[in-house]
Amino acid sequence: MANQALMANAIRALAMDAVQQANSGHPGAPMGMADMAAALWGEHLKHNPANPHWADRDRFVLSNGHASMLIYALLHLTGYDLPIEELKNFRQLHSRTAGHPEVGITPGVETTTGPLGQGITNAVGFALAEKLLAAEFNRDGHAIVDHHTYVFLGDGCLMEGISHEAVALAGAWKLGKLIALYDDNGISIDGKVAPWFIDDTPKRFEACGWNVIGPVDGHDAAAVSAAIAQAKAGEGSKPTLVVCKTQIGKGSPNRGGTAKAHGEPLGADEIGLTRSALAWEHAPFELPEAVYQDWDAKAKGAAAETAWNEKFAAYAQAFPDLAAAFERRMKGELPAAFDQVVVDAVLAAHTKAETVASRKASQLALETLTAQLPELLGGSADLTGSNLTKTAATPDLRFAADGTVVRTEDGRIGRHINYGVREFGMAAIMNGVALHGGFIPYGGTFLTFSDYSRNAIRMAALMKQRVIHVFTHDSIGLGEDGPTHQSIEHAASLRLIPNLDVWRPGDTTETTVAWACALRNRTQPTALLLSRQNLNYAPKDELADISRGAYVLAEPTRVGLKKKAKAVIIATGSEVQLAMAAQEMLAAKKIPVRVVSMPSTTTFDRQDVKYKKSVLPKGLPRIAVEMGSTGGWWKYGVDAVVGIDSYGESAPAGVLFKHFGFTPENVAATVQAVLKG
């Protein structure tokens, strides 16, 4: 019989020792949640330390990521490839034990947490993905998708507004296999939270459609384990919150229960007193063999995965096509026919040469892509009719009263999510869906509201996840809604996020290529910036180079001039048509210019020097045209930018274009002014 008190104290010892050695970190939360962890990881969590990527493992999310030594201790103790040397190297350069848990760095970490509230929101995405995959792939007698999502969270997560968005959606979606354990210690950095956090948390969760268990004594591992068992037994139409009353820094005689235990080392003297209070007579980072034996999950995990492998083999024999599709999707691979689908879609867009808004061009591309890719899971933050993210292949996602996924008459499950007015929640939930595997999530809102979801976009980039953001109404072309809704700085701002690809396509072909690039890109999220207003199709001879982010759209020969270009006009999105019209005006004055369409600066920046020089020849004056802030264009050696560095106005789009100088005449005049020097 495992000694859960000893198991929990091992976590406490490792947490205080690692933080002390690093002289940095948060010992209090791991020490306070140690008994909760002993209950969950010691008795309930289904996982295999030898294979952190086993498809049907339970997912564990540490939403209060500052408590990172909790999960590092758990991973080390249960048998993951995280030796004690890594714990000794806590928070040091190139260690696998960063200050906050990072997916892809530490084996067994499911998501990067740190910005509070996003972990619980990611967990909602994990649980949603599990539920939808189960509905799609499970068959009678063959439940190959059957796992739980567990999340630890604290007061800070619940104070963040995003947690309200996530909790509400989890209840609406009836995520019965989502179990959250609340570390209810009443302490944050500033002290006791009572003066500024008076929410009745259990009632809040109940109001959002959750089961609530407790409060239970969070230091009674048996009580916590019983609560988890109760939550699992009652799964179905409701997620569960287990309220665990705990003391931060449990075991520390002088700092336990105080804010001093939160974010700084306990100190050598206090650690000595804590060792005595816990009857822990071992040196720093020294653990008795009995502790390792009690925690060791390797044999149990291997047996669980072996049993699942046998179950999946039977499934594959009965349903070979479904099994192959499941394996492909969990690996994140696209179908073998994807390349041909893209080629056909791009050629179709090029041949039709339609004049439509790029948001409509996006929907046209999605009609083809969603029909061919069942893993595409779309949605919109209450702007479906404006973002145009829904297609014939993606019916609305709905749930019955008993929690089951509603199917269409022809047996399909919903693949378009109504997120409500929850941009931040949508973005972080999509991160969780992508991390889980099996789906490629995309979601839409207006570009100006990317400010709401920015930190989750950043987290997707940090975690290298394939998440696609559809941002429509990308400029002052929004018109009468005015400056509150008109994007000015947003394109430039998004381009500053490392590892985020940003596309602002100028017509149907560029939009289709942008979607294809986003889907092929397995290690980067993508932001598609799309227009409200119609865009003229830009005739083009070369299609292959669009995917390189920028290409020569029109040489002077297009407008009847045989001379070499004297300048280059660089344009993106809706401004490509202005550049093309300006080229014609300048040709009438015998001034030859090249037009370069640059739908993705971030992609173009990754190209080799030779290609960059072929598009933007050295020595030619360069004029950039984009309906947004000008700051990001100077790195391309431009001589002038036709842009906007002030907020917009409320007026019809055509009036605004003239008012702010977004006309072919002004672009042509700017080129002439540059050439005159």
Side-chain angles (χ1 to χ4, degrees):
M1 184 73 177
N3 185 332
Q4 290 183 319
L6 190 65
M7 292 167 68
N9 284 342
I11 294 174
R12 293 185 174 101
L14 288 172
M16 63 185 183
D17 289 343
V19 172
Q20 183 68 22
Q21 178 148 311
N23 196 29
S24 173
H26 302 76
M31 295 172 73
M33 292 188 289
D35 300 293
M36 296 162 54
L40 174 60
W41 282 66
E43 298 189 23
H44 294 279
L45 193 72
K46 181 177 68 172
H47 64 121
N48 184 6
N51 183 10
H53 303 292
W54 168 32
D56 202 42
R57 69 193 182 279
D58 288 339
R59 270 58 168 184
F60 173 76
V61 176
L62 183 66
S63 189
N64 40 354
H66 56 270
S68 55
M69 267 309 304
L70 176 77
I71 193 168
Y72 298 150
L74 287 165
L75 293 170
H76 169 71
L77 290 165
T78 55
Y80 284 79
D81 182 19
L82 194 69
I84 195 70
E85 287 73 20
E86 289 291 347
L87 275 64
K88 293 178 181 179
N89 219 15
F90 179 54
R91 288 188 163 222
Q92 304 309 301
L93 185 65
H94 302 316
S95 75
R96 286 190 285 168
T97 49
H100 291 79
E102 294 188 38
V103 68
I105 301 297
T106 313
V109 170
E110 300 284 2
T111 180
T112 301
T113 53
L116 293 175
Q118 289 198 57
I120 174 62
T121 313
N122 294 163
V124 172
F126 280 116
L128 177 64
E130 191 275 343
K131 184 165 188 169
L132 297 183
L133 285 171
E136 184 176 356
F137 285 99
N138 287 353
R139 295 294 184 270
D140 289 343
H142 296 276
I144 62 164
V145 182
D146 185 14
H147 54 266
H148 289 82
T149 299
Y150 297 98
V151 55
F152 280 11
L153 72 161
D155 291 313
C157 292
L158 295 179
M159 283 188 259
E160 286 286 359
I162 190 174
S163 73
H164 292 257
E165 301 179 25
V167 168
L169 285 169
W173 295 338
K174 306 180 188 303
L175 300 179
K177 288 187 176 178
L178 173 62
I179 300 174
L181 285 82
Y182 170 28
D183 176 32
D184 185 8
N185 62 35
I187 295 291
S188 68
I189 293 175
D190 283 353
K192 293 183 179 180
V193 301
W196 57 83
F197 184 48
I198 63 169
D199 301 27
D200 188 329
T201 296
K203 288 184 179 178
R204 169 186 156 193
F205 275 71
E206 288 174 351
C208 289
W210 287 57
N211 291 316
V212 176
I213 299 174
V216 300
D217 182 354
H219 300 304
D220 183 343
V224 175
S225 180
I228 296 170
Q230 181 183 342
K232 292 165 68 175
E235 69 188 35
S237 62
K238 291 184 178 183
T240 299
L241 176 74
V242 180
V243 180
C244 301
K245 289 289 186 180
T246 62
Q247 181 189 73
I248 192 170
K250 176 69 173 176
S252 172
N254 297 309
R255 297 204 173 187
T258 73
K260 293 290 288 183
H262 175 83
E264 60 187 66
L266 296 182
D269 291 344
E270 185 65 17
I271 287 177
L273 294 173
T274 304
R275 276 186 151 76
S276 296
L278 297 175
W280 188 266
E281 300 175 352
H282 312 285
F285 300 104
E286 181 182 298
L287 301 171
E289 186 59 33
V291 166
Y292 281 113
Q293 290 175 1
D294 283 346
W295 271 114
D296 189 2
K298 295 191 289 292
K300 183 178 178 181
E305 184 175 359
T306 297
W308 183 84
N309 287 337
E310 293 172 355
K311 183 186 297 185
F312 188 79
Y315 177 83
Q317 186 172 3
F319 310 101
D321 292 343
L322 283 174
F326 179 80
E327 289 185 306
R328 174 186 69 78
R329 286 169 54 173
M330 291 304 293
K331 291 176 182 176
E333 298 174 350
L334 296 171
F338 178 76
D339 287 343
Q340 189 59 51
V341 169
V342 168
V343 168
D344 292 344
V346 171
L347 288 175
H350 179 59
T351 302
K352 292 178 182 177
E354 294 177 280
T355 295
V356 296
S358 53
R359 61 171 174 159
K360 181 61 178 178
S362 171
Q363 186 182 45
L364 293 173
L366 277 173
E367 288 288 356
T368 296
L369 295 170
T370 55
Q372 297 295 323
L373 298 176
E375 59 262 48
L376 274 174
L377 182 65
S380 173
D382 204 48
L383 289 168
T384 300
S386 295
N387 300 149
L388 303 182
T389 47
K390 187 178 177 182
T391 71
T394 57
D396 289 326
L397 178 62
R398 295 291 184 265
F399 300 92
D402 64 356
T404 56
V405 181
V406 174
R407 297 181 181 273
T408 61
E409 291 183 358
D410 57 359
R412 294 178 297 158
I413 64 172
R415 287 168 53 204
H416 189 272
I417 301 170
N418 300 102
Y419 285 97
V421 188
R422 300 182 179 99
E423 297 88 356
F424 193 6
M426 174 178 70
I429 286 170
M430 289 197 296
N431 289 349
V433 169
L435 286 160
H436 181 281
F439 291 103
I440 302 173
Y442 67 93
T445 187
F446 288 175
L447 177 56
T448 192
F449 301 144
S450 64
D451 287 335
Y452 282 133
S453 50
R454 184 179 180 86
N455 198 263
I457 298 170
R458 180 180 187 271
M459 294 303 292
L462 177 63
M463 295 188 288
K464 301 179 180 179
Q465 293 303 301
R466 179 168 47 184
V467 176
I468 303 171
H469 295 271
V470 179
F471 292 127
T472 67
H473 298 61
D474 68 343
S475 70
I476 60 172
L478 179 59
E480 293 86 343
D481 275 340
T484 60
H485 284 52
Q486 292 168 7
S487 298
I488 302 297
E489 76 280 16
H490 297 82
S493 178
L494 289 170
R495 290 169 183 150
L496 290 174
I497 298 177
N499 204 50
L500 173 68
D501 256 3
V502 180
W503 286 82
R504 190 166 181 257
D507 60 18
T508 52
T509 299
E510 288 188 2
T511 304
T512 305
V513 170
W515 264 107
C517 290
L519 290 168
R520 287 193 180 106
N521 197 337
R522 296 177 60 177
T523 59
Q524 286 182 281
T526 299
L528 305 177
L529 316 187
L530 308 172
S531 74
R532 177 198 188 193
Q533 72 274 24
N534 285 348
L535 308 182
N536 295 330
Y537 187 82
K540 47 183 71 65
D541 298 322
E542 178 59 55
L543 301 181
D545 286 341
I546 298 174
S547 62
R548 304 187 76 167
Y551 64 103
V552 178
L553 175 61
E555 294 282 24
T557 52
R558 184 187 79 90
V559 287
L561 297 181
K562 296 182 180 180
K563 300 178 181 179
K564 290 185 177 180
K566 293 184 177 180
V568 178
I569 304 175
I570 309 168
T572 79
S574 54
E575 289 71 78
V576 171
Q577 59 191 3
L578 300 183
M580 296 289 274
Q583 184 191 46
E584 295 176 4
M585 290 182 174
L586 292 166
K589 298 180 179 181
K590 306 302 181 185
I591 301 173
V593 298
R594 168 185 285 188
V595 175
V596 167
S597 178
M598 192 178 288
S600 178
T601 63
T602 54
T603 304
F604 180 65
D605 289 348
R606 295 196 298 273
Q607 304 307 307
D608 59 75
V609 173
K610 181 179 180 181
Y611 181 74
K612 290 178 181 177
K613 287 182 177 180
S614 73
V615 175
L616 302 176
K618 188 176 180 180
L620 281 184
R622 302 169 186 176
I623 297 87
V625 187
E626 184 171 61
M627 219 177 293
S629 56
T630 61
W633 286 105
W634 302 105
K635 70 176 181 178
Y636 296 107
V638 298
D639 298 272
V641 183
V642 179
I644 176 172
D645 288 314
S646 62
Y647 294 110
E649 297 278 354
S650 292
V655 174
L656 293 176
F657 297 154
K658 292 179 182 178
H659 176 73
F660 287 106
F662 293 104
T663 63
E665 291 81 4
N666 187 45
V667 175
T670 302
V671 173
Q672 288 180 277
V674 167
L675 290 175
K676 288 179 181 179

